[in-house]
Amino acid sequence: MAQFINKREDVVTEAIDGVLALSGGALTRLDGYPHIRVVLRSDWDKSKVAIVSGGGSGHEPAHVGFVGRGMLTAAVCGDVFASPSVDAVLAGILAVTGPAGCLLVVKNYTGDRLNFGLAAERARAFGLKVSMVIVGDDIALPDLPQARGVAGTLFVHKIAGALAERGADLETVTAAAKRVIAGTRSIGMSLDTCRVPGSPKEARIPSGKAELGLGIHGEAGVEQIDFAGARSAVATMAERLAAVMGEGAHVALINNLGGTSVLEMSVLAHDLINLPLGNRITHTIGPAPLMTSLDMQGFSVSVFAADQAELELLKAPVAIAAWPGVSEVRPIAVSALPDGLTPITPMASDHGATRAFLIDCCKVLIAAEQDLNALDAKSGDGDTGSTLAGAARALINAIDRLPLSDHTQLLRAIGQELSQTMGGSSGVLLAIFFAAAGDGASSGLPMREALRTGLARMQEIGGARIGDRTMIDALSPALDALGDSVVAAAAAARTGANFTSTLTRAKAGRAAYINAKQLEGHVDPGAEAVARLFEHLAA
């Protein structure tokens, strides 16, 4: 798969310069490209302890994204997933270290330890005060003699940076960093590996599996487990964390490894704080991409048992866009619906045949979910099946509240239920359809004519006509033929649905925004849903 890069050898320098150009002058780089890539604060005057970190690139926004007042003084960048050279690290130290000294924050990888360690020795030979801490927060591989350093490193950056900004001396900053390291634990999980620029992707994680504890450079984790959804994934990680966490309140850093959507990350955060482990989490950082692994579809959770002073340091404001700040976990606030929106509940009643009929229709839509999504992916956003299936599930759940023995009220009640539970334009249109059909039935129209009244109202408001490539192409002829028989209605619906596959131009609905070439030969998913429903009723 293609990537938005130019040349592999230029990707890091071009990315750094992109950040610098848009930093508003807050960041500066040393003149050492391509071998020395050091970014530092433009306002730095060497009057306080400098905080220097870095490592291989590919973890953005770490580390350049956290250079600024109250966090890092400088970041030293290597190639993608490769430690920077000794000279690069030394250049960074020399550029920012004054009489107050410098703290190096290093993740526990052999290359980083060696290169940062030797650079520290050389800097000390120049007479500079340099201390170094090694972060090893990863708990995924308990048999490793030394744990890897992963996203928990950011706790160290923030607390050490805040202390340094307040004027603490090097010994105090170093001791605080060591306390944070001792109290931080992390674990990650991913559904896929990452793509290193210019290299083929490793297909190591099969479909239906998730890898627990893989490294931020794509290293294999401790095991591959069956993936059964977000809640189960978070529970597995929480169990490992709980076993090594201390008692008391913790801050959780919820880190996007690069390729997980914002929507998914919010679900993962929800699941984390609603597990038993969540009772020990009082504050969170994120969810956000903080220390990524290029485009890895995964996430990590880091926990730190911060005392009140450390929590205040984490909360200290910084003008760094990549830092999301600290949020307190609070109960969800819920307000009552405004007047006029609280639904009027109809008088529930039972009718065995109607109950069975409705549930049967709903099951048809639920069974068709994946097929309709696949069709919609050709002509829309791939969610028609899920939208209809979600509405069908909601109707089944509401079945005991519906006036099943009064079909006039039932049509209106279905419209009301759909208006609340079914999203998208189709939800609105079907709510209009059933509400208008209920009005028609209440005025004495027979069921077929009441449904045709609903269709007319839906077309009036929605604007779609036969030939516009919507569900109308199947629904309208089906209702016309329903006076003859359900079999005739099913045949008419199928003919109408198939007709949409010959239409290369949609005039209504999401497909109206799609290139005609992409629509060619594909049945409209809404029309297909109507056809399947009538075919099932006729069977």
Side-chain angles (χ1 to χ4, degrees), residues 369-392:
E369 179 175 1
Q370 297 304 320
D371 289 345
L372 296 178
N373 280 343
L375 274 178
D376 193 36
K378 306 292 185 183
S379 58
D381 52 2
D383 68 347
T384 292
S386 296
T387 300
L388 290 170

Side-chain angles (χ1 to χ4, degrees), residues 23 26-27 65-71 158 316-323:
S23 71
L27 302 179
F66 298 118
V67 175
R69 185 187 301 272
M71 285 193 77
K158 184 63 177 68
V318 290
I320 296 173
W323 181 252

